[in-house]
Amino acid sequence: MLVSSPSPSPVPVPDDPLTALMEGRYLDPETGEPTGVNTRSLVIADTLAGSEGEFVRGLGFGKRLAVVSDTTTHQVLGARIEAALHRHFTIESIVLPREPAADGETVENIRAASAQADALIAVGSGTINDLTKYASARDGKPYAVFATAPSMNGYTSLTASITQHGHKLTLPAQAPAGAFFDLVILAAAPKRMIRAGLGDSVCRTTAQTDWLLSHLLLGTSYRQLPFSLLEGDEPLLLDMAQDLVLGSLEAMRVLTRTLVLSGFGTAIVGSSAPASQAEHLVSHYLDMLGPVDRPSVFHGEQVGVTTLSVARLQQAMLETRPLLVPDTVSEAEIMARFGDELGRSIWPEFAAKRLDAKRADELNHQIATRWTEMSSRLAKSHISAERLEAVLTAAGAPTTPEAIHLTRRFYEEALVHGREIRNRYSVLDVMAASGRLELLSHTI
């Protein structure tokens, strides 16, 4: 079921990708096969007030529900949701402390508190959704989410970002049975969270360019579908960036659709790859090794900044054909940089993509013979850093390391070494193997 207020998009409703996905008839642009999603109910409306209970009843959950919020989201929407659901269900209210950690310990606390529940309801944004999604998946229970901020694209994805033993991991979880978006609530969210959602959206361009780069160079899998889903809404979002922080429900509708469609794209392909490449590797490095006394920064705020840097690197790569040399980073260096515990989990990921002399020669041959074709394809998915910076600036979003409470020196360290965290081949690896990454990190 899809319930949505009219979209400002000029595309006719029958061709709307959200409608087509929810009805299982969105045509894969590469295969022509119809595609759908596991989420059964999606509601994007100016207000959900008075209808919350009926929407959840339509999901066919059992009679006992655990409603998960934190002290902030409980006040914003959680108490209202619980009151509406009390008419039809037995409710276990789980209210976490303000700004709970998205870690394994909190997941286990939620599992214990919801042990008697038939299903879980998340009321919140990134952290609450990830915690509830992962806890419910661990126990084989369905869940639904009521969003409180348009701060990230994970509402409809199949993964959750959970920190375990100091290592931020993207873990398999499940799709929500229902996802509900009250635009009045979202538009009233703190402006920083709205800007975070914009930051988490603009990385489409760097993620697509990196994923396609890996596909063209290494033959890794690639799907056009996640990006085709966004073709109608993304241009509108970039043009309406300023309206987002002025309370426009139309702009909020476009941002919400973009976040939902991005999440569905990752769910369909079964990987975070369409939405998480070099810009997220750098961001993860910042999270894992950043100063402990650093003021709180939203994920999307940080990703907006890292996206600008990665877009500049991609631009430099497209302008000058790369020439790759074997990797010299050793296991001992990884251990020294990340420590023994993190290093033991990171080294196998990095070693799997580390270039030796033979592989470097093979890739250089491909680049020498096919770079004109490759760069032409990559350029089609790329949006200039200048355009992205103008969009973020229009919304008042951060655009520099200093604006997200980082020293330039540490940020440059993250640009150089973020690639080591995960076996995901990106522009960071190409520029490092070209001997240009460290040099360019001082200028982007």
Side-chain angles (χ1 to χ4, degrees):
M1 176 184 72
L2 170 66
V3 177
S4 178
S5 303
S7 167
S9 170
V11 179
V13 172
D15 297 325
D16 174 61
L18 271 181
T19 303
L21 278 178
M22 295 301 295
E23 295 176 357
R25 57 176 182 79
Y26 182 81
L27 298 182
D28 187 316
E30 293 168 314
T31 67
E33 294 295 317
T35 302
V37 291
N38 292 330
T39 297
R40 304 196 304 273
S41 179
L42 175 71
V43 182
I44 302 171
D46 286 2
T47 181
L48 304 178
S51 303
E52 303 94 338
E54 291 305 315
F55 287 138
V56 174
R57 286 183 71 188
L59 298 174
F61 292 164
K63 294 297 292 182
R64 298 183 63 89
L65 302 180
V67 179
V68 183
S69 61
D70 62 28
T71 54
T72 299
T73 64
H74 187 264
Q75 181 178 0
V76 169
L77 185 60
R80 187 180 106 188
I81 298 301
E82 290 179 8
L85 296 181
H86 263 303
R87 303 169 193 164
H88 311 287
F89 303 94
T90 300
I91 301 299
E92 178 67 40
S93 177
I94 303 173
V95 181
L96 303 175
R98 185 174 181 269
E99 297 184 3
D103 58 18
E105 180 180 355
T106 309
V107 168
E108 294 308 309
N109 290 340
I110 292 172
R111 293 180 67 194
S114 63
Q116 303 305 313
D118 299 309
L120 283 73
I121 307 291
V123 184
S125 55
T127 297
I128 293 295
N129 183 61
D130 278 350
L131 288 168
T132 309
K133 177 193 299 189
Y134 190 60
S136 63
R138 288 288 307 275
D139 289 332
K141 298 174 180 179
Y143 98 104
V145 58
F146 285 85
T148 58
S151 53
M152 52 89 214
N153 63 3
Y155 286 114
T156 52
S157 73
L158 294 177
T159 59
S161 294
I162 303 294
T163 298
Q164 293 185 344
H165 309 296
H167 195 175
K168 189 170 184 177
L169 303 173
T170 300
L171 300 174
Q174 64 176 334
F180 308 109
F181 301 87
D182 185 314
L183 295 177
V184 170
I185 293 290
L186 301 187
K191 287 183 172 56
R192 284 185 57 198
M193 300 189 81
I194 296 172
R195 292 168 182 141
L198 178 64
D200 214 20
S201 298
V202 298
C203 74
R204 187 284 309 162
T205 174
T206 51
Q208 182 178 3
T209 302
D210 271 345
W211 199 24
L212 182 57
L213 172 69
S214 176
H215 171 67
L216 295 175
L217 271 181
L218 306 181
T220 53
S221 65
Y222 174 81
R223 296 278 299 278
Q224 183 61 35
L225 183 149
F227 312 111
S228 296
L229 286 171
L230 293 164
E231 286 176 354
D233 287 278
E234 184 182 271
L236 291 171
L237 177 63
L238 300 185
D239 288 342
M240 301 175 80
Q242 184 175 19
D243 296 335
L244 284 171
V245 291
L246 297 178
S248 167
L249 293 192
E250 291 306 308
M252 188 54 60
R253 183 176 291 106
V254 175
L255 175 58
T256 302
R257 285 172 54 86
T258 301
L259 296 171
V260 168
L261 286 166
S262 177
F264 277 149
T266 64
I268 291 168
V269 304
S271 166
S272 63
S276 173
Q277 293 286 336
E279 73 293 319
H280 275 73
L281 293 178
V282 177
S283 179
H284 291 338
Y285 187 100
L286 298 174
D287 289 338
M288 291 162 59
L289 298 182
V292 294
D293 59 348
R294 179 188 177 199
S296 176
V297 171
F298 290 114
H299 170 75
E301 290 181 302
Q302 185 161 283
V303 167
V305 174
T306 61
T307 294
L308 292 180
S309 298
V310 171
R312 293 181 183 114
L313 284 173
Q314 291 174 342
Q315 217 158 302
M317 176 187 69
L318 292 173
E319 290 169 356
T320 303
R321 190 180 79 184
L323 179 64
L324 312 183
V325 299
D327 220 312
T328 60
V329 176
S330 67
E331 182 175 7
E333 288 178 74
I334 294 292
M335 293 298 177
R337 188 154 28 253
F338 293 97
D340 287 346
E341 186 173 0
L342 277 177
R344 280 193 297 271
S345 63
I346 286 173
W347 172 249
E349 289 283 319
F350 179 63
K353 67 175 180 179
R354 188 171 178 271
L355 293 186
D356 58 17
K358 179 182 177 182
R359 191 66 172 131
D361 285 344
E362 292 172 349
L363 296 184
N364 280 328
H365 176 71
Q366 285 198 61
I367 291 170
T369 57
R370 299 178 53 219
W371 186 246
T372 299
E373 170 206 345
M374 287 183 184
S375 60
S376 176
R377 287 191 63 184
L378 293 170
K380 290 178 182 177
S381 64
H382 182 72
I383 297 176
S384 73
E386 292 77 15
R387 169 64 168 147
L388 297 176
E389 185 171 11
V391 167
L392 293 173
T393 299
T399 59
T400 66
E402 293 79 9
I404 53 172
H405 311 294
L406 293 170
T407 65
R408 183 73 209 185
R409 181 176 179 179
F410 176 66
Y411 185 76
E412 290 174 9
E413 175 187 317
L415 286 173
V416 172
H417 299 297
R419 70 188 185 99
E420 297 162 357
I421 291 174
R422 189 170 185 184
N423 181 19
R424 209 160 255 187
Y425 198 80
S426 74
V427 67
L428 298 175
D429 298 289
V430 170
M431 298 307 269
S434 303
R436 301 174 65 195
L437 180 59
E438 189 162 359
L439 177 64
L440 288 173
S441 72
H442 301 310
T443 63
I444 60 173

